[in-house]
Amino acid sequence: MRRLRSARPSATPLAVAVRSRRRFLGWLSLGLVAGATGVAVLRATGYEVPADVRGRLKVLSPWEYVVLRAIGDRLVAPGEVNVADFADSYLEDMAASDRADLLKMVAVVEHGAPLAAGYIHRFSALSATEQDAVLTSLNESSLPLIRAGFEALKAIAFMAYYRLPASWPALGYPGPVAPRSLQ
Amino acid sequence: MIKKSEESVAPEVSLPRADQKLVAELKQSVHALSHKIGERNTKKHWELAAAADFIADQLTAAGYEVGRQGFEVDDVIAQNLEVDVRGTERGDEVLVVGAHYDSAPGSPGADDNASGTAALLSLARQFRELKLRRSVRFVFFANEEPPYFQTDRMGSVMYAKHALARGDRMVGMLSLESLGVFSDAKDSQRYPAELREKHPTTGNFIAVVSDTASAGLCRRFAKLMQEGGPVPVEHDALPGDLPGVGWSDHWAFWQIGVPAVMVTDTAPFRSAHYHKATDTADRLDYERMAHVVVSLSRSLRELANQPALPPRE
């Protein structure tokens, strides 16, 4: 092996360059995979959800809960309506395919949309102003699919807001004619 | 159908220059409602609520305390908004001036009816500090458009019933319905068959329209509007079931016995973009709109100060 190898005209500049490029590309691929894994791990961790909330989630994963809560805080009165709690119940009765689509949209908001809007951090880690900018970019997206997905998120946020008696006085709404228990 | 020349709404005749601050104000409101917010109705409930919040913000900034009347329609809480300028001598007599802020499905509703809403917002700003004998109330209605039109879920119907139930003494109602489309082109104005011989065929005027029972208020207000102002004013009191006569929120007030008239550019009888996606902010004539708002403001002040208003006949 050693003899044969040494006998090969491996010392030509072209062969050295090819070998170096292959080595470089190999390391680059490895680096990219490692980097992407690192970023993915970093972006998918660090979501703080209280243990009691985590324990009662029916549909949402903890990170989805955090993201939906953050989206809800920007779309409707911040802190007054917990959109994530409502969404966890509402999504339970939704068709599985619709639910999967909606949760994909949550991932888009959390990871894709901030990058597209020029932010390196995930949505839930952005400031309120930055989050508003990301949501506005989704609302005004040139892609119909993105706009439709965002419409669905807005609908959930709004349903959560409407159904909460605490938000009715601000709307001048006296409440349903018949109590909910009779409906 | 409307002639092609109707597409050009820019004034071709010489009109005095309108108050440019008012022109800018009207443009801004129409743009916010029809372009930034866009189509707004219960199918686009986010936008409907955004429009309500936009109006409420504008009124609050003008110094009003905004009253909201929320009501449930198709799993959505729609809202009417109201503000009052309390009268000094006959404060219990209320003159309602209203406009609907929702738009027809599929339309951004610049003329129908961001234009009427913008005019109402400007009037409200102008009236904030006025001392008038009679109370003037500015009301912004939801759900005028189909499928709620002339049903018990129409915003103005909900409002009229609500106001009646709480004992409001409403002595008259003006509905601002589509105020931004004008044309100097010949035959740019259409009518129901019965009216063709009676009114101009050039769509460069503003119309004051009512049913026959509100003829007194219609004549009185049209006369006030005709006193000065470069935009011609046509008026007519007609059978309420004639096409177009009851096509706005004034209809709701007829149902509870309040004299009510509509001030309008005649909407589908003039605009080729009525209820279409092409009813956009760039097609409106803001100069003439501003002239109309000035006339409305002056006429409304006079009406609110008159000793008595014509009752419903």
Side-chain angles (χ1 to χ4, degrees):
Chain A
M1 286 290 286
R2 190 182 297 166
R3 188 180 58 80
L4 282 175
R5 185 179 287 177
S6 64
R8 285 166 61 188
S10 58
T12 63
L14 179 62
V16 169
V18 168
R19 267 212 306 267
S20 300
R21 197 182 65 179
R22 280 191 187 142
R23 196 174 298 130
F24 171 74
L25 288 175
W27 280 110
L28 182 67
S29 305
L30 201 61
L32 283 174
V33 169
T37 308
V39 168
V41 168
L42 276 176
R43 289 181 78 99
T45 55
Y47 292 95
E48 290 180 12
V49 177
D52 60 322
V53 174
R54 196 180 282 258
R56 65 176 149 80
L57 289 180
K58 291 173 278 190
V59 172
L60 300 177
S61 65
W63 78 266
E64 288 164 339
Y65 180 90
V66 169
V67 176
L68 272 165
R69 180 140 200 194
I71 293 171
D73 275 355
R74 297 320 305 158
L75 293 181
V76 293
E80 289 177 23
V81 184
N82 189 333
V83 171
D85 274 342
F86 170 75
D88 191 50
S89 304
Y90 186 77
L91 264 61
E92 193 182 18
D93 299 327
M94 204 181 238
S97 59
D98 292 345
R99 183 167 60 227
D101 285 346
L102 200 113
L103 292 177
K104 276 180 204 155
M105 188 63 199
V106 173
V108 167
V109 175
E110 176 69 342
H111 299 299
L115 289 172
Y119 301 107
I120 57 164
H121 297 295
R122 59 194 185 198
F123 178 81
S124 55
L126 297 175
S127 70
T129 311
E130 290 167 338
Q131 287 178 338
D132 286 350
V134 171
L135 295 179
T136 303
S137 73
L138 291 170
N139 197 42
E140 296 171 356
S141 171
S142 58
L143 302 172
L145 195 62
I146 293 290
R147 284 203 308 277
F150 190 58
E151 283 288 324
L153 287 177
K154 287 199 295 187
I156 286 191
F158 235 28
M159 278 191 276
Y161 181 72
Y162 278 145
R163 69 189 291 280
L164 194 73
S167 52
W168 295 346
L171 301 169
Y173 176 55
V177 177
R180 280 195 176 148
S181 56
L182 299 177
Q183 289 180 330
Chain B
M1 290 298 293
I2 303 268
K3 294 267 193 294
K4 205 173 177 184
S5 52
E6 185 274 349
E7 296 288 330
S8 166
V9 293
E12 292 164 11
V13 294
S14 172
L15 285 174
R17 195 167 157 79
D19 174 353
Q20 291 305 296
K21 191 175 164 228
L22 180 57
V23 169
E25 194 176 290
L26 293 167
K27 250 186 205 174
Q28 191 189 23
S29 297
V30 170
H31 188 265
L33 288 163
S34 65
H35 185 73
K36 286 178 83 174
I37 294 173
E39 181 185 339
R40 48 207 180 273
N41 47 52
T42 53
K43 295 283 176 229
K44 291 272 189 177
H45 54 83
W46 184 270
E47 285 73 13
L48 188 68
D53 286 346
F54 166 76
I55 293 164
D57 288 348
Q58 298 292 309
L59 295 169
T60 304
Y64 285 104
E65 189 176 328
V66 182
R68 299 198 190 216
Q69 182 200 8
F71 54 98
E72 198 175 334
V73 177
D74 294 338
D75 294 330
V76 170
I77 299 176
Q79 300 166 67
N80 295 322
L81 307 174
E82 62 175 355
V83 294
D84 264 322
V85 179
R86 182 79 184 164
T88 52
E89 290 175 32
R90 296 171 178 226
D92 62 323
E93 289 186 15
V94 181
L95 196 51
V96 176
V97 192
H100 72 87
Y101 65 88
D102 61 320
S103 71
S107 172
D111 187 41
D112 182 13
N113 189 31
S115 66
T117 307
L120 194 62
L121 275 171
S122 291
L123 288 172
R125 288 188 194 102
Q126 293 172 23
F127 274 60
R128 176 69 188 97
E129 301 295 338
L130 293 185
K131 301 290 177 207
L132 304 161
R133 295 173 75 177
R134 200 169 273 112
S135 293
V136 174
R137 180 176 298 159
F138 299 99
V139 190
F140 300 79
F141 301 112
N143 293 16
E144 188 265 358
E145 298 290 3
Y148 308 112
F149 180 64
Q150 295 191 350
T151 70
D152 59 0
R153 296 181 299 167
M154 186 178 180
S156 49
V157 169
M158 298 291 294
Y159 182 84
K161 284 182 183 170
H162 173 70
L164 198 65
R166 72 182 173 195
D168 293 357
R169 195 174 156 215
M170 293 172 283
V171 292
M173 192 273 176
L174 308 172
S175 173
L176 308 186
E177 173 61 63
S178 306
L179 297 176
V181 172
F182 297 90
S183 172
D184 294 308
K186 195 168 174 293
D187 296 331
S188 52
Q189 184 65 50
R190 293 183 303 152
Y191 294 97
E194 298 86 333
L195 302 175
R196 273 186 203 135
E197 305 302 316
K198 209 174 163 189
H199 293 288
T201 54
T202 301
N204 61 356
F205 60 88
I206 203 76
V208 181
V209 182
S210 78
D211 63 348
T212 48
S214 301
L217 181 65
C218 183
R219 278 194 298 270
R220 178 83 60 93
F221 194 69
K223 188 165 182 292
L224 292 170
M225 287 279 287
Q226 283 162 344
E227 290 168 0
V231 176
V233 178
E234 286 289 312
H235 76 281
D236 215 337
L238 301 155
D241 56 359
L242 196 69
V245 175
W247 288 0
S248 190
D249 298 298
H250 56 305
W251 178 88
F253 290 79
W254 295 348
Q255 311 311 307
I256 59 163
V258 173
V261 305
M262 168 172 65
V263 183
T264 179
D265 64 19
T266 74
F269 298 102
R270 184 179 299 170
S271 172
H273 307 285
Y274 177 72
H275 283 193
K276 291 183 181 169
T278 50
D279 181 9
T280 49
D282 56 312
R283 297 182 195 277
L284 305 196
D285 182 342
Y286 296 95
E287 283 281 323
R288 281 197 255 214
M289 257 181 86
H291 284 306
V292 170
V293 170
V294 170
S295 292
L296 279 169
S297 177
R298 179 182 41 73
S299 308
L300 185 57
R301 266 177 283 164
E302 290 190 35
L303 198 65
N305 280 330
Q306 287 185 350
L309 295 185
R312 194 161 163 81
E313 294 157 14

